[in-house]
Amino acid sequence: MSIIISPSVLSCDFGNIQHDVEMINQSQADWFHIDVMDGVFVPNISFGFPVMAAIKKHATKPLDVHIMIQNPDAYISEFKKHGADILTFHYEASTHVHRTIQAIKAEGMKAGIALNPHTPVNVLSEVIEDLDLVLIMSVNPGFGGQKFIANAINKVKELRALIDAKNPACVLEVDGGVNLETGKQLVHAGANALVAGSFVFNSGNPKETIAALKEIH
Ligand code: DX5
Ligand code: ZN
């Protein structure tokens, strides 16, 4: 099975978003990674529903939506309305994690949880069976183009063991500082989905860069 590649549109050219969406459509990418930031949970504001809807209008692949917002429960149905296929919220932003997961599923979306670099994998032990995806952050969320935190490799190994034991269908995705080198390390540790923003969009040929990521094994 090949690795799922989810290019992060946070690094795209927002003045020409349709062009970059079509590039991803034509590439070997599997999903669109959509980073929504509220300026409260993370020290940055990215974009909201109108931009997401504009991406959805042209995208021919699923939207993998990563919400870096406080109180995710309040916006679940809005994310569904604006085109999210997978909705991943932060463990650190939800008081009742089980409830948030069930609310996402009730809207007909796949449910994911993201873990900040300081959050241990074992906090998921009682909910792993309910999840469609876990997103390991290999940078502190908030910005593209940051340096990869190597401890993410250890967390991926630990999470791979938990997923294999309790819910083998759960996707293990990693986000932050992914390139061909870190991507390979992550895949060898057990990741089966990779997000890449600046590595794709700052490269001379984003479509070829996506193809190269897709070849990691
Ligand atoms: C960071 C976002 C990432 C970001 C990754 O908070 O969640 O998805 O776009 O960017 P790169 O790949 O440049 O680290
Ligand atoms: Zn992200």
Side-chain angles (χ1 to χ4, degrees):
M1 268 285 280
S2 66
I3 302 304
I4 293 167
I5 302 298
S6 193
S8 171
V9 300
L10 189 64
S11 293
C12 83
D13 174 5
F14 285 99
N16 204 350
I17 203 160
Q18 188 178 350
H19 171 271
D20 284 350
V21 171
E22 274 160 12
M23 180 280 291
I24 294 174
N25 285 341
Q26 289 156 20
S27 78
Q28 290 180 49
D30 299 272
W31 296 341
F32 285 79
H33 187 79
I34 310 288
D35 289 299
V36 177
M37 305 177 186
D38 67 354
V40 180
F41 180 69
V42 286
N44 195 13
I45 298 174
S46 55
F47 52 77
F49 297 121
V51 172
M52 216 184 112
I55 295 167
K56 185 70 177 179
K57 195 168 140 194
H58 301 289
T60 58
K61 297 172 181 180
L63 299 196
D64 165 35
V65 180
H66 173 199
I67 53 173
M68 288 154 271
I69 66 171
Q70 284 299 2
N71 193 17
D73 301 56
Y75 298 97
I76 290 170
S77 58
E78 284 300 299
F79 279 106
K80 171 67 181 177
K81 247 184 250 163
H82 290 87
D85 296 284
I86 303 158
L87 190 62
T88 297
F89 66 98
H90 268 266
Y91 171 82
E92 303 83 4
S94 169
T95 310
H96 301 285
V97 162
H98 181 272
R99 177 181 288 149
T100 308
I101 294 168
Q102 302 311 326
I104 292 171
K105 288 181 160 178
E107 288 283 351
M109 295 179 285
K110 303 259 189 217
I113 287 194
L115 299 183
N116 276 337
H118 72 274
T119 304
V121 164
N122 64 22
V123 299
L124 299 178
S125 63
E126 306 310 318
V127 290
I128 192 73
E129 276 146 307
D130 298 304
L131 288 166
D132 297 299
L133 181 149
V134 178
L135 181 61
I136 296 288
M137 293 306 300
S138 41
V139 297
N140 286 297
F143 303 91
Q146 300 183 83
K147 191 176 177 295
F148 182 77
I149 298 171
N151 186 53
I153 305 279
N154 299 325
K155 290 176 73 177
V156 168
K157 287 183 188 160
E158 194 182 334
L159 179 56
R160 172 47 60 200
L162 181 67
I163 286 177
D164 283 352
K166 293 193 166 180
N167 181 6
C170 183
V171 175
L172 198 173
E173 187 176 38
V174 186
D175 185 7
V178 170
N179 56 36
L180 288 176
E181 193 188 324
T182 56
K184 195 167 179 128
Q185 292 168 14
L186 291 164
V187 168
H188 288 177
N192 59 358
L194 298 173
V195 175
S198 52
F199 183 63
V200 167
F201 286 97
N202 295 349
S203 70
N205 188 331
K207 224 190 281 179
E208 273 176 18
T209 303
I210 290 168
L213 286 165
K214 194 73 192 162
E215 269 167 34
I216 293 178
H217 58 270

